[in-house]
Amino acid sequence: MTTEHNDATGATADAAVASSGATQWWRDAVIYQVYPRSFADGNGDGMGDLPGIRARLPYLRDLGVDAVWLSPFYSSPQADAGYDVADYRVIDPAFGTLADAEAVIHDAHALGLRIIVDVVPNHCSDQHAWFRQALDEGPGSTLRERFHFRKGRGENGELPPNDWESVFGGPAWTRVADGEWYLHLFAPEQPDFNWDSPAVQDEFRSILRFWLDLGVDGFRIDVAHGLVKAPGLPDMGRTDQLKLLGNQVLPFFDQDGVHAIYRSWRKVLDEYAGERIGVAEAWTPSTDRTALYLRPDELHQAFNFHYLNTGWDAAGLRAVIDASLDAMRPVGAPTTWVLSNHDVVRHRTRLGGGERRARAAALLMLALPGSAYVYQGEELGLPEVTDLPDEVRQDPAFFRGDGQDGLRDGCRVPIPWSGDTAPYGFGTGGSWLPQPPEWARLSVAAQTGDPASVLELYRTALKLRREHPGLGAGDAVEWLDAPEGVLAFRRPGGFVCVVNTTAEPVRAPAEPSWRLLLASSDLLTVDDELTIPADTAVWWDA
């Protein structure tokens, strides 16, 4: 069997960690995303909340994750499911109280779990006190300098200041009663902050300290690539602005000025004991651009959307794995791997191939070096809900036409916990989005103890990931020779992962001495040879 190395010259990040005495838990952490309104309802109003999350923390500990990332639960009119924040230091009553948030943090720590919370610095709610005051005070107000207010174009200022379009569709500008326009890269209810304003910079450092003082272990930074706009807010000059992952440079995303902000934030994080981290939601044109957010004096992790957007294709997956590891190595940052989240179609549906392929994709992700993210319900094998009636949808993109796909509600349907009928133990008062009848067999209770279930596959994989010396942190894989359509790689400590992405079984490249650790589906013996079926991943101790 021949091998090819993913080059890892020089001192590795792991060696640097060992010499420093720091644990740097985030380098190999499995982080579980909780979307609060859809996780667990503690008060029976049909909406998930902080007490519901608190009650289910033991489930997450037993699942085997290291940290929990909570999507926004701050005071908000909920124009964009909490990503329109009215007050960053107040809990929205729909989710509970500040005491509930403190209890979640305390209980999580007692269970050995870390807590990461969302921070939304690109924009706020149009009900934020600053924005309301800016509207009341009118043109020339110093409060307007904290946002992007501009005079319009045209003879009477009746045209937007430039040709930018909202990510949710339609113009990125809304005109107010006094004739000025304000910028919102998302919904009109989400005015963008102007990060040239010292007041904005000071406020967010204060917000970080508020939550760090309460004990959170880090922040997931929403739209981390969007805070700084090109000077003068120049026109795009064309209308296809939503191709965010192309090679073009967008005047409102991934501007170099964002890095000074994150160097400032890193200083705040480093003031606190316990290795507090920053995680960038940064949609960038390349893995090399993503790596810029993770230089040693900036953030700790960034979501690997290039991996998420790769289809079920061995060559494409190998290329993005190599590119991701190669990009992160020079900055000493771990690579992250993610299959699903609250903004994209669940990977069981998106990748095609149903549960079988989703199981294989999970084992591949968890075998790669670095940190992995699991979106709630992914461990249950939940598919995307594609047939929600229009009248129950709440995604603002759905109501604005051509922005994104307008169908993010399908991955946000509340998860099933137990029982034969909806809401399947989610709460006692129904659920804010309807759950499919077939989810009864996918509930936590239905899958627990069933060795063939997706849930038990995740539990076993996460346990092995903790125990096996070849899994977790690292910055390289050693590719093994394999047939076309098959990924095979070795990790330190004698760990080997083989993934068959083809539609046909292939001979398992296993040596007699290898010990089978886990397979996403049953292996076959054909003509006395061990065979890996289609859409199957296998872990060996070699």
Side-chain angles (χ1 to χ4, degrees):
M1 180 178 294
T2 61
T3 66
E4 178 183 337
H5 288 268
N6 181 307
D7 188 28
T9 59
T12 66
D14 286 343
V17 171
S19 64
S20 71
T23 62
Q24 297 202 331
W25 60 270
W26 39 274
R27 287 193 172 276
D28 61 355
V30 176
I31 301 173
Y32 186 98
Q33 181 188 359
V34 166
Y35 190 69
R37 59 170 52 202
S38 299
F39 188 66
D41 174 14
N43 64 3
D45 66 355
M47 182 79 71
D49 48 37
L50 291 170
I53 295 169
R54 184 185 182 191
R56 298 291 187 178
L57 287 174
Y59 164 78
L60 298 178
R61 178 214 39 211
D62 295 343
L63 180 62
V65 301
D66 302 292
V68 181
W69 153 35
L70 303 176
S71 292
F73 47 75
Y74 311 113
S75 174
S76 169
Q78 302 295 319
D80 184 23
Y83 284 93
D84 51 316
V85 181
D87 193 323
Y88 292 83
R89 298 175 181 85
V90 173
I91 307 302
D92 194 282
F95 298 120
T97 65
L98 188 60
D100 291 325
E102 291 181 276
V104 168
I105 297 167
H106 175 272
D107 286 10
H109 288 167
L111 292 168
L113 298 168
R114 299 177 189 265
I115 291 290
I116 296 169
V117 298
D118 246 298
V119 64
V120 187
N122 179 72
H123 49 262
C124 63
S125 166
D126 61 357
Q127 300 304 306
H128 190 284
W130 283 6
F131 190 75
R132 300 310 303 167
Q133 187 176 347
L135 291 181
D136 291 343
E137 292 183 359
S141 164
T142 57
L143 267 296
R144 293 205 175 189
E145 296 173 2
R146 301 177 186 183
F147 302 93
H148 293 279
F149 278 90
R150 297 289 187 275
K151 295 184 183 299
R153 296 191 290 194
E155 184 177 351
N156 299 305
E158 71 277 9
L159 299 176
N162 66 24
D163 65 356
W164 295 1
E165 292 185 6
S166 163
V167 174
F168 288 166
W173 296 90
T174 290
R175 198 177 193 188
V176 300
D178 55 48
E180 287 197 335
W181 298 73
Y182 68 89
L183 175 69
H184 52 87
L185 292 182
F186 295 86
E189 297 88 351
Q190 295 169 289
D192 277 42
F193 284 114
N194 176 13
W195 274 85
D196 290 333
S197 165
V200 172
Q201 298 174 31
D202 290 344
E203 171 67 356
F204 273 92
R205 284 191 290 265
S206 175
I207 290 167
L208 296 183
R209 288 191 174 97
F210 177 86
W211 287 101
L212 290 167
D213 288 341
L214 289 179
V216 303
D217 299 284
F219 301 92
R220 177 266 192 186
I221 303 161
D222 186 61
V223 195
H225 56 299
L227 278 56
V228 173
K229 280 67 175 175
L233 308 186
D235 279 345
M236 281 289 299
R238 58 183 187 173
T239 59
D240 58 338
Q241 300 168 31
L242 302 181
K243 296 178 181 177
L244 304 183
L245 297 178
N247 293 322
Q248 71 270 27
V249 176
L250 301 178
F252 43 77
F253 283 153
D254 196 31
Q255 295 289 308
D256 288 338
V258 299
H259 299 292
I261 296 169
Y262 299 130
R263 284 192 288 272
S264 170
W265 286 22
R266 179 59 177 263
K267 292 177 181 177
V268 174
L269 293 168
D270 287 348
E271 292 172 6
Y272 289 80
E275 298 180 297
R276 318 294 180 94
I277 71 167
V279 182
E281 184 209 24
W283 292 86
T284 64
S286 68
T287 53
D288 289 336
R289 290 294 298 181
T290 301
L292 296 179
Y293 291 77
L294 306 178
R295 287 173 286 195
D297 60 346
E298 294 190 42
L299 301 173
H300 300 76
Q301 290 186 350
F303 289 121
N304 190 345
F305 294 118
H306 306 285
Y307 182 77
L308 184 150
N309 283 316
T310 301
W312 190 242
D313 169 75
L317 287 165
R318 176 167 173 168
V320 76
I321 291 167
D322 280 344
S324 300
L325 293 168
D326 290 345
M328 298 304 133
R329 196 175 301 115
V331 296
T335 306
T336 66
W337 313 101
V338 59
L339 291 169
S340 293
N341 66 34
H342 66 290
D343 280 335
V344 300
V345 173
R346 286 186 176 275
H347 73 269
R348 170 173 170 170
T349 300
R350 189 183 72 252
L351 294 178
E355 179 183 306
R356 184 186 190 91
R357 186 171 293 176
R359 292 167 63 100
L363 289 197
L364 169 60
M365 177 184 75
L366 293 172
L368 293 169
S371 180
Y373 281 78
V374 174
Y375 178 51
Q376 64 177 44
E378 169 183 331
E379 79 280 12
L380 303 177
L382 296 185
E384 184 82 357
V385 180
T386 58
D387 57 353
L388 289 170
D390 290 355
E391 60 268 21
V392 305
R393 292 189 178 276
Q394 298 190 24
D395 182 359
F398 177 74
F399 301 98
R400 285 177 62 83
D402 58 354
Q404 293 187 337
D405 60 12
L407 300 174
R408 293 180 299 169
D409 293 314
C411 64
R412 301 176 178 183
V413 174
I415 66 174
W417 291 94
S418 60
D420 296 327
T421 58
Y424 306 116
F426 170 69
T428 59
S431 61
W432 67 281
L433 285 174
Q435 301 155 298
E438 59 270 22
W439 277 18
R441 65 178 182 81
L442 298 178
S443 72
V444 172
Q447 295 195 45
T448 294
D450 178 359
S453 70
V454 178
L455 177 57
E456 294 298 346
L457 178 75
Y458 270 78
R459 286 173 170 163
T460 302
L462 292 174
K463 183 175 185 292
L464 287 170
R465 197 176 191 274
R466 282 180 182 270
E467 296 173 349
H468 198 287
L471 288 170
D475 63 4
V477 297
E478 177 188 344
W479 293 108
L480 305 177
D481 189 38
E484 184 177 356
V486 176
L487 293 170
F489 58 87
R490 188 189 305 273
R491 299 285 314 282
F495 175 88
V496 170
C497 177
V498 180
V499 186
N500 179 12
T501 71
T502 74
E504 301 295 332
V506 297
R507 185 182 65 82
E511 304 293 340
S513 61
W514 291 9
R515 179 170 62 92
L516 179 65
L517 294 174
L518 186 63
S520 61
S521 60
D522 291 337
L523 304 187
L524 306 173
T525 300
V526 178
D527 296 332
D528 295 327
E529 288 190 328
L530 190 65
T531 301
I532 302 175
D535 291 336
T536 297
V538 188
W539 290 1
W540 274 287
D541 186 349

